[in-house]
Amino acid sequence: MRLPPFTYNRPQDLDEALELLNAYGKDCKILAGGTDLLVRMKQGLVAPMNLISLKALSELAEIRETATDLKIGAAAKLSDILAYQPVQGRWPGLFESIKAIGAPSIQHFSGTIGGNLCQDNRCQFYNQSRSFRRARQTCNKAGGSTCFAWKGGSDKCHSVCQSDTAPILIAMGAKVVIKSRQETRAIPLEELYSSIGEHPLTLGDNEMLTEILVPVRAPGDGSAFEKLAYRSAIDYAVVSAGAFVQTDGNQMLKASLVIGAVARGPLTIATIEKTLEDRPVGDEQAIDEAAKEAMNAAEAFMANNMTQPVEYRTQMVSVITKRALKLATKRALSNKEVSEAK
Amino acid sequence: MSKQSLEIIVNGENYFLAVEPNCTLMELLRDDLELTGAKEGCGEGVCGSCTVLMDGKPIRSCLTLALEASGSHITTVEGLAQHGDLDPLQQAFIDHGAVQCGFCTSGMLMSAKGFLLENPHAGKKEIRNALSGHICRCTGYTKIVEAVESVVDRSQEKR
């Protein structure tokens, strides 16, 4: 499959990259690892006139720890984040989510964390070859006016956000730094997602994600990421969940849960904080209630946008939620933070 | 769209080329350099048959722009044999019957090579994990994993 024509730019520093981005505006895409963008270009889903490569921007590939945050450059390779010792020890949820992406031997040496967060939404009716798509009407995401994934059709796109790192990073309260030539702003990661299927990110045309800030661990907290997929490698999630809890050893002090692969953006289950707060640690009933809430919340967004049946995916939200919450709680209690390599 | 200059080292040889920006590394290797070892299976990064080593790390050549590989050392399956002698890994694939139709073989070899360079004492589980990004439609996975296992350096275990 040939790629459509474009011009290739390889800026030598971030200022040059932002300058280019500002000049090209809409007519341009940022090329990090290319494992999402180049596939969509080959399938004729996007045809940017210009690409800006991040290859030479070593300043965007840094990973370092400060007193308040783990700072990860947006162009840091997934393999480099896995190899950074503190991540495995202190952010096991993040470690698991990165391990779950693609195939360990391949995508990780190309794929970047910024690319994983900024990947486009997916749908079984959209992410297909030209000839597959030609057999049907053009859908909302491709510029038409129908949706095949939503029962009875819809005037909105019901594609799904398939980032594996977004749920756990949002659950842990991560922030992202967004830069344009004119300004720099830091926002909570959930605000990066618009929950609009056609344009899933809130980034402006001249803006670039440059850094991810993950809060340092506090005593008694734990994180976990669970992904259910048909295959262990190169597969998108049926359902995924990122969980973050804080305990004082006896009671739950804080809990947050974000479900991935069910909605147009990562789905934060806001109610579970109240449900789990002040409940005893290990209270099975509390976990069951939280799982039910997650399932009910997810059901409202569930569309036939992946190949698996909607009913199955809905039921699995509850299962994956329980697993993630239990593992996060176990880690919070034991302080044994290193995940057993799966 | 004009051609841009590219300096690349493939299997130890220096090349100074002019390529179009939308040329992938795989197209460069197969069409311009006539190194047809890397195969195009899916063209979307799923099957693994186009895998080559870039600076010792396995990457999908179908999803890498040739220009992105500028200044890198590329090793293809043609570069594994040294002075006419097969790499031990290649010989192991023959000895274990790990080649059926052969389409996935070059990708499997390159991923296994890249993995063993970093993990010379790996166990079966790690090998299976390392090759999990590759598809063999003859389903000859068992023999492939056995072949890779046979060249793992066991000297540390015996000690």
Side-chain angles (χ1 to χ4, degrees):
Chain A
M1 278 185 288
R2 289 286 295 184
L3 283 163
F6 53 83
T7 66
Y8 174 85
N9 304 274
R10 191 193 278 205
Q12 294 305 306
D13 58 48
L14 186 58
D15 287 341
E16 193 188 343
L18 294 172
E19 198 68 47
L20 281 168
L21 198 57
N22 200 59
Y24 288 139
K26 251 190 161 49
D27 262 349
C28 145
K29 289 274 179 202
I30 295 166
L31 175 68
T35 53
D36 177 50
L37 178 63
L38 294 183
V39 176
R40 288 187 288 124
M41 285 171 70
K42 283 186 171 189
Q43 291 176 331
L45 296 169
V46 279
M49 303 280 281
N50 305 284
L51 289 191
I52 299 177
S53 165
L54 303 183
K55 190 91 181 171
L57 304 185
S58 52
E59 60 205 283
L60 283 192
E62 275 179 24
I63 308 166
R64 64 185 199 283
E65 223 178 318
T66 67
T68 53
D69 295 293
L70 169 70
K71 297 188 175 205
I72 308 176
K77 294 228 184 314
L78 299 173
S79 57
D80 291 339
I81 304 172
L82 289 184
Y84 186 76
Q85 275 302 322
V87 170
Q88 184 166 6
R90 269 173 279 160
W91 291 273
L94 177 62
F95 184 80
E96 285 164 343
S97 74
I98 293 176
K99 273 192 94 168
I101 301 167
S105 65
I106 313 284
Q107 267 88 346
H108 288 182
F109 297 116
S110 304
T112 65
I113 186 151
N116 187 265
L117 292 173
C118 292
Q119 65 181 291
D120 198 5
N121 277 14
R122 297 184 64 83
C123 176
Q124 61 166 334
F125 299 102
Y126 174 75
N127 295 89
Q128 295 287 355
S129 65
R130 273 203 182 84
S131 50
F132 179 102
R133 284 179 283 133
R134 208 174 283 145
R136 293 171 182 262
Q137 278 173 277
T138 317
C139 73
N140 290 318
K141 194 164 172 65
S145 56
T146 186
C147 178
F148 303 110
W150 197 252
K151 211 174 174 185
S154 171
D155 57 355
K156 277 188 279 197
C157 167
H158 292 270
S159 56
V160 65
C161 175
Q162 275 287 6
S163 169
D164 282 331
T165 51
I168 185 63
L169 283 173
I170 293 175
M172 290 192 295
K175 287 187 169 161
V176 286
V177 178
I178 291 167
K179 280 190 177 172
S180 69
R181 199 188 62 161
Q182 292 83 5
E183 65 164 348
T184 300
R185 59 193 178 110
I187 55 169
L189 175 58
E190 60 253 51
E191 290 176 20
L192 178 67
Y193 298 98
S194 66
S195 285
I196 301 169
E198 291 90 337
H199 310 284
L201 299 179
T202 55
L203 285 179
D205 287 332
N206 62 345
E207 288 185 319
M208 187 196 289
L209 173 69
T210 57
E211 203 168 40
I212 294 107
L213 310 174
V214 191
V216 290
R217 289 195 60 156
D221 72 11
S223 65
F225 174 79
E226 287 283 341
K227 172 176 174 177
L228 177 72
Y230 280 3
R231 299 189 299 174
S232 63
I234 346 181
D235 205 357
Y236 288 100
V238 174
V239 176
S240 66
F244 177 82
V245 301
Q246 187 147 29
T247 75
D248 62 4
N250 301 311
Q251 283 187 319
M252 294 285 225
L253 301 177
K254 245 169 93 178
S256 55
L257 176 75
V258 180
I259 306 292
V262 298
R264 295 184 291 258
L267 184 63
T268 304
I269 312 295
T271 54
I272 75 130
E273 179 143 9
K274 269 225 172 89
T275 310
L276 293 181
E277 209 180 272
D278 299 332
R279 300 287 280 266
V281 164
D283 183 349
E284 288 277 340
Q285 205 188 335
I287 301 266
D288 280 350
E289 283 170 34
K292 188 135 205 197
E293 279 166 24
M295 189 170 78
N296 289 342
E299 195 171 15
F301 292 94
M302 203 64 90
N304 185 26
N305 45 27
M306 302 293 290
T307 50
Q308 304 89 4
V310 169
E311 296 74 17
Y312 172 64
R313 285 167 66 200
T314 309
Q315 295 287 321
M316 286 301 114
V317 171
S318 152
V319 176
I320 295 301
T321 296
K322 281 187 211 170
R323 284 186 199 165
L325 282 173
K326 282 182 183 170
L327 187 55
T329 312
K330 194 174 146 200
R331 283 181 181 150
L333 286 175
S334 66
N335 276 335
K336 192 186 161 206
E337 292 134 6
V338 184
S339 73
E340 300 296 321
K342 274 188 188 168
Chain B
M1 192 173 64
S2 56
K3 289 193 173 186
Q4 292 185 23
S5 63
L6 165 70
E7 185 185 348
I8 193 169
I9 303 160
V10 181
N11 298 335
E13 257 183 82
N14 265 303
Y15 292 90
F16 297 91
L17 305 158
V19 296
E20 290 184 344
N22 66 347
C23 173
T24 63
L25 179 60
M26 189 195 63
E27 286 159 358
L28 177 85
L29 292 171
R30 290 182 59 89
D31 302 342
D32 298 341
L33 306 184
E34 297 186 347
L35 295 167
T36 54
K39 309 283 187 237
E40 179 170 31
C42 64
E44 297 176 0
V46 177
C47 74
S49 61
C50 66
T51 302
V52 300
L53 297 185
M54 182 155 99
D55 298 324
K57 303 265 166 59
I59 54 136
R60 302 281 205 252
S61 63
C62 76
L63 286 187
T64 305
L65 297 182
L67 289 172
E68 288 275 282
S70 173
S72 304
H73 286 258
I74 304 295
T75 311
T76 70
V77 72
E78 288 91 343
L80 279 185
Q82 298 290 329
H83 314 296
D85 294 327
L86 289 182
D87 188 269
L89 192 59
Q90 289 174 305
Q91 191 59 51
F93 266 57
I94 296 172
D95 297 343
H96 286 80
V99 182
Q100 290 185 49
C101 86
F103 201 88
C104 73
T105 307
S106 54
M108 291 277 187
L109 280 169
M110 297 322 290
S111 241
K113 186 75 193 170
F115 174 70
L116 291 177
L117 284 173
E118 301 228 327
N119 308 278
H121 313 291
K124 188 169 196 152
K125 205 175 161 192
E126 287 95 62
I127 294 170
R128 291 174 69 103
N129 193 37
L131 294 179
S132 63
H134 291 259
I135 290 170
C136 167
R137 288 302 76 172
C138 307
T139 68
Y141 299 104
T142 304
K143 296 288 173 195
I144 292 166
V145 173
E146 281 173 12
V148 179
E149 250 191 312
S150 74
V151 296
V152 168
D153 182 1
R154 297 272 174 230
S155 53
Q156 278 199 342
E157 274 178 21
K158 284 170 196 161
R159 251 173 250 163

